[in-house]
């Protein structure tokens, strides 16, 4: 049962909102006002005189806060102050920058970790363990960036010319714009901020307009650490707002790199806009991920992993399992076991300890779910379980839907139902006979983020991870599509966007590279033996 479920009725700008106790306790613990409009712009000081947007709890439908976004003038000022802050921060020694990141890590790991995780559940809707886990991702990438701050090394290249040395040197890039999505309102920014700061850049963040409170809470934490170290707050600037704010960041020549997480449609626009001014991009777009289960798979591992991959976060992860390809020999048993697990799912308040299914984040998500179910029925797909909203109280106040398993009649991966990603807990199933057929289905869609093969056969494994195997950026064996560690680079191929964030060599995108040739001889020979006497 939700605690003190209430829907607000604001009579005026400064009226007290009728917040439930669960909401007011979480917001107060993070110093977010529960009475006044909340400033949503930060560049060393808090402000906001633009449009007022509302943050709505997807579980109860109550208004959590009204947030003052950036006006066009304020946005211009934030970008200017962020550029000024960069010119200061780039000269701070990298190990010193790492120490500041370590302090951010400590601030997140204190009691704030639980409070901030609860805010993710409150505002985004993901269950408690996932909300806390998302903050843990931010903590972990800070750990990574602290070590990286002493290891962002270049290279020495052997020169063919006597008395010459060649160095490849990484230097700070400039200003990084981060446009993040609602489904990971903390972690994605953390991936970018930690590496950007380690590299010596300033960052300006434009979060999803539906999760402004998470961004305000994070910026509060980060800004206090910066201020205590005498670093300009605009090193980690914030502009809440809608499409216009995102467009301004994509168009700004003062922003060298734009990291965008969102839909393929908008990502294409962002990519073209940034490229038109010769900026750099990191694009994390559609997923549409598949799991393939072979007859030799350990079903005690595969079934629960597919279950989490398809149902976790109510199907709103970029890495959610959306396509399931089952070998004919094990399909009946697998589906029977999977439906048994689906039957155990009970939707509830995501802040409750034992909840496994929270709400969809927004009414737009509800429409996507409803439209997809309607389409499945129109093509005579067999719906094994799910296919409706939860309408009984108190679930009727939120965006709760039934996780769905469907078997479309067509197995053509170029059909609409297979190639278009529906950001909801809908799993489409097809049956195959040969691994080569399943790999072809896996690769035939436009997206290329994550994929999984379940097998104990080494030949299957070798084929799957090799040149004729999965074409996604994340290629798993006996591991679900959903969930990744920060030590490895995260990102996809094809219409997913080719970007890489988090670990691995992702840091190299946040620097500019200089190839420096130094002549310490008494001669000036040309390369390749070119002779040009003067």
């Amino acid at each position: 049962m939700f605690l003190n479920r209430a829907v607000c009725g604001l009579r005026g700008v400064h009226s007290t909102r009728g917040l439930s106790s669960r909401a007011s306790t979480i917001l107060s613990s993070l110093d977010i006002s529960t009475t006044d409009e909340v400033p949503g712009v930060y560049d060393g000081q808090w402000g906001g005189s633009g449009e007022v947007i509302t943050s709505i709890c997807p579980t109860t439908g109550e208004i959590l806060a009204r947030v003052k976004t950036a006006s066009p003038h304020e946005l211009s000022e934030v970008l200017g102050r962020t550029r000024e802050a960069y010119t200061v921060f780039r000269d701070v020694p990298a190990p010193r920058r790492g120490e500041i990141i370590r302090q951010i890590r400590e601030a997140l790991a204190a009691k704030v970790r639980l409070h901030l995780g609860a805010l993710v559940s409150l505002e985004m809707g993901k269950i408690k363990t996932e909300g806390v886990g998302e903050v843990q991702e931010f903590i972990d990438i800070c750990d990574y960036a602290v070590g990286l701050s002493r290891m962002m090394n270049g290279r020495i290249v052997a020169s063919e010319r006597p008395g010459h040395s060649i160095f490849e040197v990484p230097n700070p890039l400039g200003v990084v714009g981060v446009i993040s999505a609602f489904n990971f309102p903390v972690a994605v920014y953390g991936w970018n901020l930690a590496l950007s700061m380690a590299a010596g850049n300033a960052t300006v963040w434009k979060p999803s307009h539906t999760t402004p409170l998470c961004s305000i809470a994070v910026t509060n934490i980060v800004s206090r650490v910066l201020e205590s170290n005498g670093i300009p707050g605009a090193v980690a600037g914030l502009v809440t707002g809608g499409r216009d704010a995102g467009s301004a960041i994509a168009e700004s020549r003062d922003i060298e790199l734009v990291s965008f997480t969102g839909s393929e449609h908008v990502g294409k626009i962002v990519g073209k806009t940034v490229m038109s001014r010769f900026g750099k991009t990191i694009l994390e777009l559609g997923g549409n991920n598949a799991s393939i289960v072979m007859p030799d798979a350990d079903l005690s591992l595969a079934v629960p992993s597919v279950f989490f991959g398809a149902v976790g976060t109510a199907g709103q992860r970029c890495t959610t399992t959306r396509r399931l390809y089952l070998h004919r020999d094990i399909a009946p048993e697998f589906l029977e076991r999977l439906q048994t697990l689906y039957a155990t799912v009970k939707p509830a308040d995501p802040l409750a300890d034992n909840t496994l299914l929270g709400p969809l984040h927004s009414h737009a998500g509800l429409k996507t779910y409803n439209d997809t179910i309607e389409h499945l029925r129109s093509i005579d797909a067999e719906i094994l379980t799910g296919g409706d909203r939860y309408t009984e109280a108190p679930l009727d106040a939120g965006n709760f839907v039934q996780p769905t398993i469907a078997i479309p009649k067509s197995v053509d991966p170029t059909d609409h139902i297979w190639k278009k990603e529906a950001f909801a807990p809908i799993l489409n199933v097809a049956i195959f006979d040969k691994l080569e057929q399943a790999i072809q289905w896996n690769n035939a869609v436009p997206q290329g983020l994550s994929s999984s093969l379940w097998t104990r056969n080494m030949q299957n494994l070798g084929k799957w991870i090799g040149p004729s195997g999965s074409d996604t950026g994340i290629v798993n064996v006996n591991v679900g599509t959903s969930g990744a560690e920060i030590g490895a680079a995260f990102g996809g191929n094809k219409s997913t966007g080719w970007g890489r964030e988090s670990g691995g060599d992702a840091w190299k995108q946040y620097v500019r590279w200089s190839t420096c040739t130094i002549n310490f001889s008494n001669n000036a020979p040309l390369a390749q033996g070119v002779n040009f006497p003067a």
Side-chain angles (χ1 to χ4, degrees):
M1 183 65 68
F2 306 150
L3 297 176
N4 297 338
R5 183 163 58 92
V7 177
C8 305
L10 279 171
R11 297 185 179 87
V13 172
H14 297 290
S15 298
T16 300
R17 297 194 303 278
L19 283 177
S20 62
S21 61
R22 64 195 279 282
S24 60
T25 299
I26 292 168
L27 296 178
S28 297
S29 70
L30 292 164
D31 299 325
I32 295 175
S33 174
T34 57
T35 56
D36 299 326
E37 291 178 342
V38 180
V41 181
Y42 179 77
D43 60 4
Q45 57 186 13
W46 286 95
S49 60
E51 178 189 1
V52 175
I53 59 176
T54 56
S55 171
I56 299 174
C57 176
T59 303
T60 65
E62 63 188 312
I63 295 176
L64 298 174
R66 288 191 166 190
V67 176
K68 296 182 288 186
T69 66
S71 67
H73 176 70
E74 285 174 314
L75 181 55
S76 177
E77 286 191 329
V78 170
L79 294 179
R81 291 196 177 104
T82 303
R83 171 60 58 180
E84 292 171 5
Y86 160 65
T87 63
V88 174
F89 197 59
R90 66 187 176 187
D91 290 325
V92 174
R96 173 61 183 157
R97 300 195 297 258
E99 166 57 19
I100 294 169
I101 297 169
R102 186 196 67 78
Q103 293 176 30
I104 293 172
R105 183 246 189 253
E106 291 302 306
L108 290 165
K111 66 175 183 177
V112 170
R113 173 176 174 267
L114 294 177
H115 296 321
L116 187 55
L119 179 59
V120 172
S121 296
L122 181 71
E123 186 176 41
M124 186 272 152
K126 62 178 56 175
I127 62 175
K128 184 176 180 181
T129 183
E130 291 187 285
V132 173
E134 182 169 341
V135 180
Q136 188 62 48
E137 280 194 59
F138 199 157
I139 293 168
D140 292 345
I141 197 63
C142 284
D143 284 338
Y144 184 90
V146 171
L148 189 63
S149 69
R150 293 181 180 268
M151 299 170 60
M152 304 181 88
N153 302 323
R155 294 195 309 164
I156 299 175
V157 180
S159 174
E160 66 184 65
R161 291 170 282 182
H164 287 61
S165 291
I166 302 174
F167 301 89
E168 292 180 348
V169 180
N171 279 301
L173 179 63
V175 176
V176 174
V178 180
I179 305 175
S180 62
F182 72 85
N183 60 328
F184 277 83
V186 170
V188 169
Y189 176 64
W191 296 348
N192 284 277
L193 179 72
L195 298 192
S196 178
M197 288 187 67
N201 303 316
T203 302
V204 58
W205 182 14
K206 208 297 283 187
S208 168
H209 69 282
T210 61
T211 54
L213 300 183
C214 287
S215 64
I216 290 167
V218 168
T219 301
N220 261 325
I221 296 164
V222 172
S223 64
R224 288 167 184 166
V225 173
L226 294 175
E227 291 165 4
S228 68
N229 283 273
I231 300 296
V235 163
L238 172 68
V239 286
T240 58
R243 183 178 302 171
D244 290 345
S247 296
I249 288 174
E251 294 166 1
S252 175
R253 294 183 180 274
D254 287 327
I255 296 178
E256 280 77 4
L257 169 66
V258 175
S259 174
F260 172 82
T261 303
S263 70
E264 295 164 63
H265 172 70
V266 178
K268 186 182 295 185
I269 296 171
V270 170
K272 287 181 178 179
T273 301
V274 177
M275 176 54 71
S276 71
R277 59 176 179 83
F278 299 105
K280 297 175 65 177
T281 57
I282 298 173
L283 301 176
E284 299 286 0
L285 311 176
N288 200 13
N289 317 289
S291 274
I292 298 171
V293 186
M294 296 298 289
D296 65 319
D298 184 341
L299 298 193
S300 67
L301 298 179
V303 173
S305 294
V306 169
F307 174 58
F308 170 72
V311 176
T313 325
Q316 298 169 110
R317 286 178 175 243
C318 301
T319 52
T320 289
T321 306
R322 308 198 185 280
R323 297 178 290 146
L324 176 61
Y325 300 131
L326 299 174
H327 192 279
R328 191 175 304 278
D329 291 350
I330 51 86
E333 181 182 357
F334 192 101
L335 288 173
E336 182 179 357
R337 290 194 189 188
L338 187 61
Q339 288 179 81
T340 298
L341 285 180
Y342 268 61
T344 67
V345 175
K346 304 297 181 187
D349 184 351
L351 283 161
D353 287 333
N354 298 321
T355 300
L356 294 182
L357 179 65
L360 291 175
H361 176 62
S362 67
H363 288 292
L366 281 176
K367 185 178 188 308
T368 296
Y369 176 86
N370 291 333
D371 288 350
T372 305
I373 296 297
E374 182 179 338
H375 178 69
L376 283 166
R377 290 183 170 133
S378 74
I379 60 174
D380 294 325
E382 182 183 1
I383 296 179
L384 299 182
T385 186
D388 289 300
R389 285 190 64 181
Y390 290 101
T391 56
E392 64 273 20
L395 302 177
D396 58 326
N399 306 322
F400 290 90
V401 298
Q402 298 173 358
T404 301
I405 304 172
I407 306 180
K409 290 187 180 299
S410 168
V411 295
D412 182 353
T414 63
D415 279 0
H416 171 83
I417 196 62
W418 296 106
K419 72 178 183 179
K420 184 174 175 59
E421 178 184 37
F423 221 61
I426 300 173
L427 180 65
N428 292 314
V429 182
I431 310 301
F432 70 92
D433 294 298
K434 298 289 186 181
L435 176 58
E436 291 78 6
Q437 182 182 41
I439 292 175
Q440 190 273 325
W441 290 348
N442 176 80
N443 295 351
V445 300
Q447 307 84 3
L449 179 53
S450 183
S451 58
S452 296
L453 175 68
W454 296 89
T455 185
R456 288 175 286 192
N457 183 298
M458 291 298 290
Q459 290 181 329
N460 292 339
L461 184 156
K463 182 175 294 186
W464 176 244
I465 68 173
S468 299
S470 175
D471 65 0
T472 64
I474 301 169
V475 182
N476 295 325
V477 180
N478 298 330
V479 176
T481 65
S482 190
E485 299 182 29
I486 61 91
F490 179 92
N493 305 326
K494 303 190 295 185
S495 69
T496 295
W498 300 98
R500 292 297 182 269
E501 291 176 309
S502 201
D505 283 339
W507 69 270
K508 293 180 179 179
Q509 299 166 109
Y510 297 84
V511 298
R512 59 175 175 83
W513 289 91
S514 303
T515 299
C516 308
T517 303
I518 300 172
N519 180 4
F520 54 89
S521 73
N522 293 322
N523 300 303
L526 297 173
Q528 293 84 47
V530 173
N531 185 17
F532 196 79

